[in-house]
Amino acid sequence: GGAITVAAKAPQINIKNTKFFSNEARDGNAIYVKETTNDMNITDCEFQNNGVYGSVIANEAKQICIDTCYIQFDSTAKSCRGVRFLSRCFALVRDTHFVNCRTTSSEGGGGLYYNNQLQKEDEESLTIEGCLFNNCQAPNGCALLTWLETPIILRNNLIWHHTNGKFIVSVFYNKYVNETIVEDCYFEHNSFHNDDVSRDGGGSGLWIANSRDLVPDTEVKKLTFVGCTWRNNTADAYGGALSYGRSPTLVGMELEFRDCILINNTARKTYGGALYIITNKPLVITDCFFDGNTAGGIGGAVYFSKYGDVSITDCKFARNKAYEGGALCCDGRNKVNLDSLVFSDNTADID
């Protein structure tokens, strides 16, 4: 570690109210926590401009909490990854800011990276809550990239101003996980480059799924969003807020949106100003509000073309616009249920 290496066997190690400025090392530019550490707590600390390679904090401990910290750089031109987890652990990252973090490593994970590279068999849990990821960069997973065997907990995070066009949140499961729930998260002012070949991700650049061919298609694989907000995100082509289902890895995913808000998102060239969904499993949208979304092609708010059942209930669509289908484009191949919806001031260029 550039400033501190922790290799103690004490029951608990605490670093509090400490500032780290311009420290450097091969990895762990500020703090490197070795695998002999049982329980590491880093609280109310500030990390400013620590290194241009590796990570600010590197962790091998069995249990770690990073709480109310600021990991930031003046510019992405001279910065590195925020936090790197090298082994399975109980990890809680709470109320922490990741600002202008960056990695050029093909591993990805500009703000946070989790991968059991040390091949440990300890128990595992990763919770990220109340965090800000602002303008982080990476070849994949600009805000975060994880390889997990248990469901990630993403709650009350703000993910914004990621504009280099790469995937922003990338979560891969090495073992079967039947459902991931994303709660009260905000995706704002992000942009993503997708096209006819690579349609998934959408403006929020999000990918959460089991690894391809990990489980048969008959097993439930579900992604649920509760109380989430997508605002002012942009996709080059598909899904201004989110696009799912083109890849064989994602086509078998069930999707559910509950109590979500999708405002002023844009799919510049083609379909789904907010959502573009082409999975072959059920899609459920309940109590959501779509306002001011725009598609250059079809489906100003939502476009779906799929074989799974579709249910959209108790939702409001206002001021969305597209060339065709100002609010919705429904191309359902199985049962489609549209119930208790309100449409107001939506616009299409043609009938």
Side-chain angles (χ1 to χ4, degrees), residues 264-279:
N264 294 338
N265 302 286
T266 302
R268 285 182 178 144
K269 299 176 182 177
T270 56
Y271 304 161
L275 299 179
Y276 174 81
I277 310 296
I278 55 171
T279 57

PDB file of all heavy atoms in Angstrom, residues 264-279:
ATOM      1  N   ASN A 264     -37.299  11.871 -19.780  1.00  0.00           N
ATOM      2  CA  ASN A 264     -36.383  12.554 -20.710  1.00  0.00           C
ATOM      3  C   ASN A 264     -35.217  11.677 -21.160  1.00  0.00           C
ATOM      4  O   ASN A 264     -34.076  12.153 -21.281  1.00  0.00           O
ATOM      5  CB  ASN A 264     -35.850  13.848 -20.087  1.00  0.00           C
ATOM      6  CG  ASN A 264     -36.933  14.884 -19.880  1.00  0.00           C
ATOM      7  OD1 ASN A 264     -37.974  14.845 -20.527  1.00  0.00           O
ATOM      8  ND2 ASN A 264     -36.697  15.798 -18.952  1.00  0.00           N
ATOM      9  N   ASN A 265     -35.474  10.416 -21.386  1.00  0.00           N
ATOM     10  CA  ASN A 265     -34.462   9.538 -21.963  1.00  0.00           C
ATOM     11  C   ASN A 265     -34.641   9.504 -23.478  1.00  0.00           C
ATOM     12  O   ASN A 265     -35.733   9.720 -23.998  1.00  0.00           O
ATOM     13  CB  ASN A 265     -34.597   8.134 -21.381  1.00  0.00           C
ATOM     14  CG  ASN A 265     -34.457   8.138 -19.868  1.00  0.00           C
ATOM     15  OD1 ASN A 265     -33.373   8.296 -19.334  1.00  0.00           O
ATOM     16  ND2 ASN A 265     -35.587   7.988 -19.161  1.00  0.00           N
ATOM     17  N   THR A 266     -33.555   9.185 -24.194  1.00  0.00           N
ATOM     18  CA  THR A 266     -33.585   9.282 -25.658  1.00  0.00           C
ATOM     19  C   THR A 266     -32.888   8.106 -26.312  1.00  0.00           C
ATOM     20  O   THR A 266     -31.751   7.779 -25.963  1.00  0.00           O
ATOM     21  CB  THR A 266     -32.889  10.577 -26.122  1.00  0.00           C
ATOM     22  OG1 THR A 266     -33.533  11.706 -25.525  1.00  0.00           O
ATOM     23  CG2 THR A 266     -32.940  10.699 -27.638  1.00  0.00           C
ATOM     24  N   ALA A 267     -33.586   7.466 -27.247  1.00  0.00           N
ATOM     25  CA  ALA A 267     -32.971   6.520 -28.178  1.00  0.00           C
ATOM     26  C   ALA A 267     -32.855   7.264 -29.511  1.00  0.00           C
ATOM     27  O   ALA A 267     -33.847   7.436 -30.224  1.00  0.00           O
ATOM     28  CB  ALA A 267     -33.812   5.259 -28.319  1.00  0.00           C
ATOM     29  N   ARG A 268     -31.662   7.694 -29.830  1.00  0.00           N
ATOM     30  CA  ARG A 268     -31.503   8.654 -30.916  1.00  0.00           C
ATOM     31  C   ARG A 268     -31.998   8.135 -32.257  1.00  0.00           C
ATOM     32  O   ARG A 268     -32.701   8.832 -32.995  1.00  0.00           O
ATOM     33  CB  ARG A 268     -30.024   9.043 -31.045  1.00  0.00           C
ATOM     34  CG  ARG A 268     -29.534   9.979 -29.968  1.00  0.00           C
ATOM     35  CD  ARG A 268     -28.089  10.345 -30.207  1.00  0.00           C
ATOM     36  NE  ARG A 268     -27.597  11.280 -29.203  1.00  0.00           N
ATOM     37  CZ  ARG A 268     -26.370  11.255 -28.720  1.00  0.00           C
ATOM     38  NH1 ARG A 268     -25.521  10.347 -29.142  1.00  0.00           N
ATOM     39  NH2 ARG A 268     -26.000  12.127 -27.815  1.00  0.00           N
ATOM     40  N   LYS A 269     -31.602   6.911 -32.618  1.00  0.00           N
ATOM     41  CA  LYS A 269     -31.808   6.471 -33.993  1.00  0.00           C
ATOM     42  C   LYS A 269     -32.998   5.541 -34.179  1.00  0.00           C
ATOM     43  O   LYS A 269     -33.607   5.550 -35.242  1.00  0.00           O
ATOM     44  CB  LYS A 269     -30.545   5.768 -34.506  1.00  0.00           C
ATOM     45  CG  LYS A 269     -29.321   6.662 -34.530  1.00  0.00           C
ATOM     46  CD  LYS A 269     -28.090   5.873 -34.953  1.00  0.00           C
ATOM     47  CE  LYS A 269     -26.837   6.733 -34.928  1.00  0.00           C
ATOM     48  NZ  LYS A 269     -25.615   5.952 -35.260  1.00  0.00           N
ATOM     49  N   THR A 270     -33.298   4.710 -33.182  1.00  0.00           N
ATOM     50  CA  THR A 270     -34.277   3.660 -33.470  1.00  0.00           C
ATOM     51  C   THR A 270     -35.378   3.550 -32.420  1.00  0.00           C
ATOM     52  O   THR A 270     -36.214   4.443 -32.325  1.00  0.00           O
ATOM     53  CB  THR A 270     -33.565   2.307 -33.637  1.00  0.00           C
ATOM     54  OG1 THR A 270     -32.796   2.027 -32.457  1.00  0.00           O
ATOM     55  CG2 THR A 270     -32.615   2.317 -34.826  1.00  0.00           C
ATOM     56  N   TYR A 271     -35.379   2.476 -31.604  1.00  0.00           N
ATOM     57  CA  TYR A 271     -36.581   2.083 -30.871  1.00  0.00           C
ATOM     58  C   TYR A 271     -36.437   2.246 -29.359  1.00  0.00           C
ATOM     59  O   TYR A 271     -35.376   2.040 -28.793  1.00  0.00           O
ATOM     60  CB  TYR A 271     -36.908   0.616 -31.152  1.00  0.00           C
ATOM     61  CG  TYR A 271     -37.089   0.236 -32.602  1.00  0.00           C
ATOM     62  CD1 TYR A 271     -36.991  -1.089 -33.003  1.00  0.00           C
ATOM     63  CD2 TYR A 271     -37.365   1.196 -33.566  1.00  0.00           C
ATOM     64  CE1 TYR A 271     -37.157  -1.451 -34.338  1.00  0.00           C
ATOM     65  CE2 TYR A 271     -37.537   0.853 -34.892  1.00  0.00           C
ATOM     66  CZ  TYR A 271     -37.433  -0.470 -35.278  1.00  0.00           C
ATOM     67  OH  TYR A 271     -37.597  -0.824 -36.584  1.00  0.00           O
ATOM     68  N   GLY A 272     -37.582   2.583 -28.722  1.00  0.00           N
ATOM     69  CA  GLY A 272     -37.651   2.575 -27.272  1.00  0.00           C
ATOM     70  C   GLY A 272     -36.987   3.765 -26.619  1.00  0.00           C
ATOM     71  O   GLY A 272     -35.871   3.659 -26.126  1.00  0.00           O
ATOM     72  N   GLY A 273     -37.703   4.905 -26.574  1.00  0.00           N
ATOM     73  CA  GLY A 273     -37.128   6.089 -25.965  1.00  0.00           C
ATOM     74  C   GLY A 273     -36.691   5.862 -24.530  1.00  0.00           C
ATOM     75  O   GLY A 273     -35.683   6.409 -24.087  1.00  0.00           O
ATOM     76  N   ALA A 274     -37.434   5.055 -23.785  1.00  0.00           N
ATOM     77  CA  ALA A 274     -37.033   4.668 -22.433  1.00  0.00           C
ATOM     78  C   ALA A 274     -36.628   3.194 -22.398  1.00  0.00           C
ATOM     79  O   ALA A 274     -35.501   2.870 -22.043  1.00  0.00           O
ATOM     80  CB  ALA A 274     -38.160   4.939 -21.439  1.00  0.00           C
ATOM     81  N   LEU A 275     -37.542   2.296 -22.778  1.00  0.00           N
ATOM     82  CA  LEU A 275     -37.282   0.854 -22.676  1.00  0.00           C
ATOM     83  C   LEU A 275     -37.401   0.174 -24.037  1.00  0.00           C
ATOM     84  O   LEU A 275     -38.359   0.407 -24.782  1.00  0.00           O
ATOM     85  CB  LEU A 275     -38.277   0.192 -21.716  1.00  0.00           C
ATOM     86  CG  LEU A 275     -38.282   0.681 -20.266  1.00  0.00           C
ATOM     87  CD1 LEU A 275     -39.352  -0.066 -19.466  1.00  0.00           C
ATOM     88  CD2 LEU A 275     -36.908   0.509 -19.624  1.00  0.00           C
ATOM     89  N   TYR A 276     -36.418  -0.674 -24.315  1.00  0.00           N
ATOM     90  CA  TYR A 276     -36.444  -1.548 -25.484  1.00  0.00           C
ATOM     91  C   TYR A 276     -36.246  -2.968 -24.968  1.00  0.00           C
ATOM     92  O   TYR A 276     -35.171  -3.325 -24.482  1.00  0.00           O
ATOM     93  CB  TYR A 276     -35.325  -1.163 -26.454  1.00  0.00           C
ATOM     94  CG  TYR A 276     -35.165  -2.092 -27.644  1.00  0.00           C
ATOM     95  CD1 TYR A 276     -35.997  -1.971 -28.755  1.00  0.00           C
ATOM     96  CD2 TYR A 276     -34.182  -3.082 -27.655  1.00  0.00           C
ATOM     97  CE1 TYR A 276     -35.842  -2.804 -29.850  1.00  0.00           C
ATOM     98  CE2 TYR A 276     -34.021  -3.921 -28.744  1.00  0.00           C
ATOM     99  CZ  TYR A 276     -34.857  -3.777 -29.839  1.00  0.00           C
ATOM    100  OH  TYR A 276     -34.701  -4.614 -30.930  1.00  0.00           O
ATOM    101  N   ILE A 277     -37.302  -3.798 -25.017  1.00  0.00           N
ATOM    102  CA  ILE A 277     -37.276  -5.132 -24.415  1.00  0.00           C
ATOM    103  C   ILE A 277     -37.655  -6.165 -25.462  1.00  0.00           C
ATOM    104  O   ILE A 277     -38.757  -6.127 -26.017  1.00  0.00           O
ATOM    105  CB  ILE A 277     -38.258  -5.226 -23.224  1.00  0.00           C
ATOM    106  CG1 ILE A 277     -38.049  -4.063 -22.248  1.00  0.00           C
ATOM    107  CG2 ILE A 277     -38.107  -6.575 -22.536  1.00  0.00           C
ATOM    108  CD1 ILE A 277     -36.705  -4.026 -21.572  1.00  0.00           C
ATOM    109  N   ILE A 278     -36.743  -7.108 -25.731  1.00  0.00           N
ATOM    110  CA  ILE A 278     -37.031  -8.162 -26.706  1.00  0.00           C
ATOM    111  C   ILE A 278     -36.677  -9.537 -26.127  1.00  0.00           C
ATOM    112  O   ILE A 278     -36.235 -10.433 -26.836  1.00  0.00           O
ATOM    113  CB  ILE A 278     -36.293  -7.922 -28.041  1.00  0.00           C
ATOM    114  CG1 ILE A 278     -34.780  -7.757 -27.829  1.00  0.00           C
ATOM    115  CG2 ILE A 278     -36.860  -6.698 -28.746  1.00  0.00           C
ATOM    116  CD1 ILE A 278     -33.997  -7.735 -29.139  1.00  0.00           C
ATOM    117  N   THR A 279     -36.882  -9.706 -24.830  1.00  0.00           N
ATOM    118  CA  THR A 279     -36.670 -11.007 -24.192  1.00  0.00           C
ATOM    119  C   THR A 279     -37.801 -11.960 -24.561  1.00  0.00           C
ATOM    120  O   THR A 279     -38.842 -11.549 -25.086  1.00  0.00           O
ATOM    121  CB  THR A 279     -36.618 -10.844 -22.666  1.00  0.00           C
ATOM    122  OG1 THR A 279     -37.835 -10.229 -22.225  1.00  0.00           O
ATOM    123  CG2 THR A 279     -35.439  -9.978 -22.248  1.00  0.00           C
TER     124      THR A 279
END
